[in-house]
Amino acid sequence: MFMESQNVLNVAMKRDPGDSEIQSQLAHVLILNGFFDQGVKLFNHVLSKTPGDWQRWDLYARTIAKSSRPAQAGALFDQALEVAHAAANKPTTSITPPQNSDLARLEMNRAEHLKTIGDIEGCKTAVRTAIGHSRYHARAWTELASLKAFGDEDFTMVETMIRSDQSKLSKSDLQHLYYALGLAHMTRGDGKLAMGYYVKANRLQRDQINYDEGLTLGYLKHLPEYFTPETIAQHALTENGDEQQFIFIVGMPRSGSTLLEQILDQHSDAFGVGEIRTMPNLVKRIYGELFPSQPIHEKFLTDPKRLEFLAKAYRDEVLRTLPPEAIRNGKGPRYIVDKMLGNFVSAGLIAMAFPNSKIIHSRRDPIDTAFSCFTHFFGDGHKHLCDLREIGRFYLSYRDLMAYWETTLTPEQLITVDYEKVIDDLEGEARRLIEFLGLGWQEACLEFYATKREVRTHSALEVRKPVYRSSMERWRPYQDDLVPLFEELGVQPD
C-alpha cells in the first residue's frame, strides 16, 4: 500500500535513528503495509520517550483504526484525548498545547472510528463534543447531518456562520457547511432548500479541483482497443487452482456495492477487505500512469513477467494485511473481497492476472446513482461527481465500458447485480451471487446488517439496517433541478 514510503523512511531512519518524527511515520506505514507487530512496537517505543505528545497518540489511534486490527483504536483515541486535554490544561515547553480546533479534530477522528464500528450514539456524542470545542470545525456539521441529528438550533448556527463568519471559513469549510445544510434539509423533506445548498457545495468543490474530462472519458473510450478478447485470452496467466482467489466488486459509487460486500462477508468462505487501493496503486507502479493509453503500453500488456509480478505483488500485499481472524490453518479464506469500485477500468487486466477470480458489477438505476453521488460529500478524488452534466457523461462512459467487459469476459468471470433486484428479491439475488462464486448457500448471507465488523464507506450507516426501498427514486421530488442530468443521460422521466 505504502511500500515506497516505507523504503524512504527506512533510509531516513538509518541516517537519523533517533528522530521521533521519522520513527512515528515509519510505524504508521508499517502498520498500514501489514507489518502490524513491528509498527505497534515502534509506536510504543516512541511514545515511551514522549508520553505527553498528543499528536503522536492521535496518529497511533488513527493508524490502528485504519488497519486490519482496529480493536484497540477506541482506547488509543481515549488516550490521545486525555493527553491532549492534559497538555492544554498544563502547557509545557516541550509539547505544543492543542488549540480548541485541535481538540475538535481529535474528537472527529474518534467519531469517525465509532461510526465505522456501528456505535452511532457514541459517534453523535463525539461530534457534539467536537462542535463544543469549535463550531468552526465544519466537518463536524456534515457528520451531524449524516447522522440525521440536526436540530433547529443547528440550522440557525450554521446559517449564521455562513452569513456572518465567512472570514473564519475556508472554501473547504463552506463546502462542508453547504453539504450539511443540504442533507439536513433533505432529511426534513424540504427539497427546494436542499438542492440549493447541494448546488452551492458542488460548485465550490468543482472550482477547487482540476478535472480533465476529455482525458478521462477518452481513456475509458479507448480501453477496449487494448483489451481485445484475443489479447485477454492469449496472455492470461495460468492458475493451478491452489492460489488465493479474489472477488472484485466494481461499478459506480452509491450503487449498492457495500450491501453486496456485506452479503458476501457473512459467508464463511469470503472475507471483505473494503475499498483498498492496492490494485490501482500497483498498476500505476508496474505499468505507469493511465495504463494503457500510450504506444509502449501495448508491449507492457503482453509482457508475462510484468503480469506475474502484478499478480504476486497483489496477493502478497492483500494477504499480509489480513487480520488474524481471517486466517485459518495458516491460509486465507477461499475468497477475499476487494470493493475498490474504480477497478472497473482494470477488469480486463484483472481477468488476465487472476483468471479464476470473480468480478461482480454492482449496478443501480442511472438517475438514482447520479443523484446520490451529487448529494454525497466525496473528498477523496472523485473529481467527476461535482457537476450534474459531468456526472451524466461519466456515467455513460462507464456504462459503455462495462457493456464491453460483459461481452468480452466469460460468464464465469463477470456477473452484473442490479441494486433494484436485490431490494425486490434479496434471497433470490443473494443465492444467484453465491452460486456464481461456486459456494454453498448459508442463511447468514441474509443477515448482513448484523455485521460486527467495521464499515469504512459512505454507506456505513445504511448497511447496518435490513434492506429498505426508500433509497429508490429519491430524486423524484428534485427532478426540476436535475434537467441537466436527464439531458446528458438521454432520459425523460415519466
Side-chain angles (χ1 to χ4, degrees):
M1 187 178 295
F2 301 103
M3 293 307 297
E4 292 179 6
S5 299
Q6 184 175 321
N7 292 336
V8 170
L9 287 165
N10 276 325
V11 171
M13 274 276 286
K14 290 179 181 178
R15 292 177 178 172
D16 194 351
D19 189 302
S20 296
E21 180 60 26
I22 294 174
Q23 291 175 338
S24 298
Q25 293 301 322
L26 179 58
H28 167 72
V29 298
L30 281 170
I31 289 173
L32 296 185
N33 282 339
F35 302 100
F36 188 87
D37 293 337
Q38 291 174 250
V40 167
K41 182 177 180 180
L42 186 53
F43 258 129
N44 289 338
H45 169 71
V46 172
L47 287 166
S48 69
K49 296 189 297 181
T50 56
D53 192 329
W54 55 274
Q55 295 183 80
R56 291 207 174 99
W57 279 108
D58 178 55
L59 177 62
Y60 192 5
R62 286 185 287 117
T63 305
I64 295 297
K66 292 178 181 178
S67 77
S68 59
R69 307 186 202 178
Q72 299 302 315
L76 289 171
F77 278 119
D78 290 343
Q79 180 70 15
L81 284 161
E82 181 180 332
V83 171
H85 282 288
N89 293 330
K90 293 183 178 180
T92 65
T93 55
S94 59
I95 301 294
T96 302
Q99 304 299 309
N100 284 337
S101 58
D102 296 316
L103 296 173
R105 177 172 53 80
L106 264 62
E107 282 288 356
M108 284 306 301
N109 291 340
R110 185 163 75 102
E112 184 177 330
H113 168 66
L114 293 171
K115 184 178 179 179
T116 66
I117 64 174
D119 184 355
I120 305 307
E121 292 305 315
C123 179
K124 288 180 183 178
T125 300
V127 171
R128 286 290 184 193
T129 304
I131 292 172
H133 286 306
S134 174
R135 64 176 181 171
Y136 298 105
H137 194 83
R139 183 164 66 99
W141 295 105
T142 306
E143 194 63 68
L144 192 68
S146 76
L147 295 166
K148 296 179 170 52
F150 243 67
D152 291 339
E153 293 182 358
D154 300 316
F155 280 101
T156 301
M157 186 174 292
V158 173
E159 288 164 354
T160 299
M161 281 194 291
I162 291 175
R163 186 172 58 250
S164 306
D165 296 342
Q166 286 207 15
S167 62
K168 299 179 181 179
L169 301 169
S170 66
K171 288 184 178 180
S172 178
D173 292 334
L174 280 172
Q175 184 185 340
H176 274 287
L177 296 180
Y178 284 141
Y179 264 114
L181 288 174
L183 179 52
H185 280 295
M186 180 181 283
T187 301
R188 285 197 169 189
D190 192 336
K192 190 72 174 176
L193 277 173
M195 279 304 292
Y197 284 119
Y198 281 133
V199 168
K200 289 180 179 180
N202 278 287
R203 188 175 295 140
L204 263 177
Q205 184 172 13
R206 186 65 184 88
D207 289 344
Q208 295 176 75
I209 62 176
N210 180 24
Y211 171 48
D212 189 332
E213 184 182 31
L215 179 65
T216 299
L217 301 190
Y219 170 70
L220 297 179
K221 179 181 179 180
H222 292 293
L223 279 173
E225 298 171 10
Y226 291 89
F227 291 99
T228 64
E230 295 75 21
T231 297
I232 294 173
Q234 291 173 14
H235 298 283
L237 299 179
T238 300
E239 294 183 317
N240 59 29
D242 295 331
E243 301 91 350
Q244 174 65 58
Q245 298 304 320
F246 302 94
I247 299 168
F248 297 88
I249 300 179
V250 304
M252 284 283 289
R254 311 300 300 163
S255 62
S257 59
T258 302
L259 173 58
L260 298 184
E261 182 194 31
Q262 294 305 312
I263 289 172
L264 296 177
D265 195 53
Q266 295 303 302
H267 198 286
S268 59
D269 287 327
F271 190 87
V273 293
E275 297 179 355
I276 57 173
R277 293 201 54 80
T278 308
M279 180 59 68
N281 287 346
L282 285 173
V283 171
K284 181 179 177 180
R285 195 168 87 205
I286 297 168
Y287 289 93
E289 197 84 46
L290 286 177
F291 171 82
S293 61
Q294 302 172 29
I296 188 64
H297 289 164
E298 293 185 19
K299 181 179 179 181
F300 290 174
L301 189 58
T302 58
D303 180 357
K305 292 188 180 299
R306 203 175 289 265
L307 191 61
E308 288 168 1
F309 183 74
L310 171 68
K312 184 179 186 306
Y314 181 86
R315 281 197 175 94
D316 289 348
E317 190 164 315
V318 174
L319 286 170
R320 191 172 59 242
T321 57
L322 285 180
E325 63 266 24
I327 306 297
R328 297 174 185 172
N329 300 319
K331 297 179 65 177
R334 178 171 174 182
Y335 284 112
I336 295 174
V337 186
D338 178 340
K339 199 184 78 71
M340 176 49 65
L341 295 172
N343 283 334
F344 79 87
V345 302
S346 299
L349 190 63
I350 288 170
M352 293 169 65
F354 309 101
N356 292 333
S357 287
K358 306 291 185 179
I359 300 173
I360 298 172
H361 174 206
S362 177
R363 185 171 66 184
R364 185 183 181 189
D365 173 83
I367 302 177
D368 275 331
T369 301
F371 178 70
S372 188
C373 287
F374 188 74
T375 56
H376 273 76
F377 184 86
F378 291 96
D380 50 0
H382 291 81
K383 297 180 179 180
H384 53 279
L385 300 180
C386 313
D387 177 90
L388 288 171
R389 290 194 180 276
E390 289 176 345
I391 295 173
R393 290 192 289 266
F394 184 90
Y395 187 94
L396 293 181
S397 294
Y398 138 80
R399 183 198 64 186
D400 291 347
L401 180 58
M402 287 310 308
Y404 176 77
W405 295 135
E406 287 174 343
T407 59
T408 304
L409 304 183
T410 69
E412 291 75 33
Q413 290 176 309
L414 172 65
I415 189 175
T416 295
V417 181
D418 290 308
Y419 175 74
E420 293 77 15
K421 291 181 179 179
V422 176
I423 298 303
D424 287 339
D425 182 13
L426 173 62
E427 182 170 346
E429 288 299 297
R431 283 183 177 274
R432 185 171 78 96
L433 198 53
I434 298 302
E435 182 179 352
F436 166 71
L437 301 175
L439 300 176
W441 175 250
Q442 295 179 1
E443 289 293 326
C445 294
L446 301 178
E447 299 178 355
F448 58 89
Y449 50 86
T451 181
K452 301 297 183 183
R453 296 187 60 211
E454 66 279 1
V455 181
R456 300 184 179 112
T457 75
H458 289 270
S459 303
L461 298 178
E462 295 96 323
V463 81
R464 297 186 186 277
K465 304 174 185 177
V467 292
Y468 51 91
R469 302 184 62 84
S470 60
S471 60
M472 296 169 64
E473 296 196 343
R474 290 185 64 197
W475 54 268
R476 286 206 174 270
Y478 313 94
Q479 62 185 74
D480 289 345
D481 298 293
L482 300 177
V483 172
L485 173 66
F486 300 154
E487 291 176 349
E488 295 300 334
L489 291 176
V491 299
Q492 293 182 333
D494 51 23

